[in-house]
Amino acid sequence: MPEGEGAAVAYDELLLKPLFSFAGKGIQFAPTRGELEAIPEAERRNYLLQQRMRFVPTIETPHGLTQAEIRILYLWPDGGELTPVLRWCVLAGAK
């Protein structure tokens, strides 16, 4: 659960994501404390709660401005170093 009480937690800045999902399916924007508490404790390990990122549309396309998100996949083997292994760019007009 997020640290803090009431207004100290900006729930509107959070995303709740199921770990085993694809293409954004099941993402819940701005989950409430009640919705988070309703997830059975044994099931909570199957979710990721993260702070929402705000992207600024800056790239001109034939359909108007869009935003870019650069993603980097890292591997961190036991006893090894954090190593970037894959990079890709996503263009989207996401929520």
Side-chain angles (χ1 to χ4, degrees):
M1 296 301 294
E3 303 261 336
E5 291 294 322
V9 177
Y11 289 97
D12 60 331
E13 292 296 320
L14 297 177
L15 295 174
L16 180 64
K17 297 180 174 184
L19 287 180
F20 306 103
S21 180
F22 182 71
K25 188 173 184 178
I27 293 177
Q28 185 174 346
F29 290 82
T32 65
R33 182 171 188 86
E35 290 168 330
L36 295 175
E37 290 174 342
I39 300 170
E41 202 165 321
E43 294 296 315
R44 292 179 185 173
R45 63 188 175 96
N46 295 319
Y47 291 88
L48 174 70
L49 184 64
Q50 74 179 52
Q51 183 178 0
R52 186 173 176 188
M53 299 292 297
R54 301 286 179 176
F55 298 95
V56 177
T58 56
I59 298 172
E60 291 274 350
T61 73
H63 305 286
L65 288 174
T66 193
Q67 58 202 22
E69 177 183 346
I70 298 171
R71 298 179 181 184
I72 303 172
L73 174 66
Y74 288 89
L75 294 182
W76 195 350
D78 291 340
E81 294 184 21
L82 186 65
T83 307
V85 294
L86 181 65
R87 301 159 190 90
W88 70 99
C89 181
V90 177
L91 299 178
K95 181 177 178 182

